[in-house]
Amino acid sequence: MTEPPQTPRSEIKQGFYNNNRIYVYSEKRGISDFAIILNSECEYLCEIGGVGGTANCPNNIFENLKNLELIWIDPR
């Protein structure tokens, strides 16, 4: 981690979507927020946000996340 910390800091949350464990990695990219959704095997599922407004996640994914909790935040 040689780059300075971002504001807000990058973080990882875990939760459940359709009874499957997922991870949400969030970071700030330029002037916009960006998130990557991974499954329990850390395989890419989808992403949302960023400068270009990428959005290839199901429309209801964030409404149907259950028990979302912070498990890591950039410590710098």
Side-chain angles (χ1 to χ4, degrees), residues 14-22 64-68:
Q14 78 174 2
F16 291 88
Y17 175 69
N18 291 339
N19 295 319
N20 295 304
R21 183 180 308 276
I22 56 95
N64 291 311
L65 288 177
K66 305 287 187 211
N67 302 321
L68 196 61

Side-chain angles (χ1 to χ4, degrees), residues 12-26 35-46 57-58 61-71:
I12 299 174
K13 294 181 179 179
Q14 78 174 2
F16 291 88
Y17 175 69
N18 291 339
N19 295 319
N20 295 304
R21 183 180 308 276
I22 56 95
Y23 298 98
V24 180
Y25 170 76
S26 302
I36 297 173
I37 314 299
L38 306 167
N39 67 14
S40 62
E41 304 297 318
C42 292
E43 297 168 329
Y44 174 90
L45 296 176
C46 64
C57 292
I61 193 167
F62 288 103
E63 293 141 15
N64 291 311
L65 288 177
K66 305 287 187 211
N67 302 321
L68 196 61
E69 64 178 310
L70 181 67
I71 60 170

